[in-house]
């Protein structure tokens, strides 16, 4: 049996996006987007100059802090999709410190829509042969891995953080109803 691995990887990503994550973002409010259900959450933080930053540390503390929906959306949009699209299909000039992180739900969703679409379209255009090429120096210690490994990793990130966003929305709805 012939398997179209390129089509399968894209299909997995699109199916999860279209049926699970993207519908769960409908109706997201600014309050819910920035809701911090526990002390010392990581989030997106407005700055005095009108820009915004995202909380992070390397290495990540153990245990890592709880993250807001805003943080999860921005992690997916920026650190997964924008970074990888820039590094592998663009000018390799995207950096988290030069990004004005979205502080509203509408802007966060728009940023995620834009970066997801750019990543998906780049992979589609690259074609099946790209999957067997090495990821290259942009992926640090994973430079020698095939590009398919990176696509799988980003699919996992999408599903992992997408599931967390859904759970956070359920929790917010439950707490808000009390």
């Amino acid at each position: 049996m012939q398997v179209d691995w390129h089509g399968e990887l894209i299909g997995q990503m699109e199916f999860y996006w279209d049926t699970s994550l993207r519908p769960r973002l409908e109706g997201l409010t600014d309050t819910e987007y920035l809701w911090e259900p526990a002390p010392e959450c990581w989030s997106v933080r407005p700055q005095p100059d009108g820009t915004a930053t995202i909380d992070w540390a390397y290495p990540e503390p153990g245990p890592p802090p709880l993250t807001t929906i805003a943080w999860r959306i921005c992690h997916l949009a920026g650190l997964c999709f924008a970074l990888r699209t820039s590094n592998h299909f663009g000018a390799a000039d995207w950096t988290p410190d030069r990004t004005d992180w979205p502080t509203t739900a509408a802007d966060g969703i728009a940023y995620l829509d834009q970066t997801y679409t750019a990543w998906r379209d780049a992979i589609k255009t690259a074609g099946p042969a790209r999957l067997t090429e090495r990821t290259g120096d942009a992926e640090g210690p994973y430079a020698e891995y095939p590009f398919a490994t990176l696509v799988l990793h980003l699919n996992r990130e999408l599903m992992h953080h997408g599931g967390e966003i859904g759970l956070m929305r359920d929790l917010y709805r439950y707490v808000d109803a009390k």
Side-chain angles (χ1 to χ4, degrees):
M1 173 187 298
Q2 289 280 2
V3 178
D4 174 9
W5 290 111
H6 183 249
E8 292 293 325
L9 291 171
I10 293 167
Q12 180 187 57
M13 179 175 41
E14 289 177 331
F15 179 82
Y16 182 78
W17 177 265
D18 292 340
T19 65
S20 296
L21 179 55
R22 192 56 183 86
R24 291 283 283 158
L25 297 176
E26 293 302 320
L28 183 67
T29 67
D30 293 346
T31 302
E32 187 179 3
Y33 178 73
L34 294 169
W35 177 56
E36 296 189 30
E40 300 178 24
C41 284
W42 277 1
S43 190
V44 174
R45 309 262 178 220
Q47 300 301 302
D49 66 359
T51 64
T53 61
I54 190 169
D55 296 328
W56 69 280
Y58 186 83
E60 189 175 86
L66 184 63
T67 57
T68 64
I69 292 173
W71 189 95
R72 292 159 204 254
I73 285 175
C74 288
H75 174 74
L76 282 171
L79 298 170
C80 292
F81 298 133
L83 175 65
R84 276 19 185 273
T85 303
S86 175
N87 285 348
H88 297 283
F89 301 104
D93 60 354
W94 186 95
T95 62
D97 58 318
R98 292 189 319 187
T99 297
D100 188 13
W101 299 97
T103 57
T104 68
D107 289 346
I109 292 168
Y111 184 45
L112 182 58
D113 284 342
Q114 177 228 340
T115 59
Y116 162 80
T117 300
W119 172 250
R120 184 204 59 208
D121 292 352
I123 292 171
K124 280 184 173 182
T125 302
R130 180 71 170 102
L131 296 177
T132 59
E133 295 174 11
R134 66 189 286 276
T135 58
D137 295 340
E139 296 303 322
Y142 305 101
E144 298 304 320
Y145 283 69
F147 195 74
T149 302
L150 178 61
V151 175
L152 285 166
H153 172 64
L154 282 147
N155 283 1
R156 284 190 305 265
E157 285 283 295
L158 179 64
M159 291 177 230
H160 169 80
H161 292 296
E164 291 175 330
I165 290 165
L167 177 62
M168 291 289 285
R169 293 210 69 194
D170 291 343
L171 183 61
Y172 180 83
R173 186 178 64 245
Y174 177 79
V175 170
D176 191 51
K178 289 205 162 232

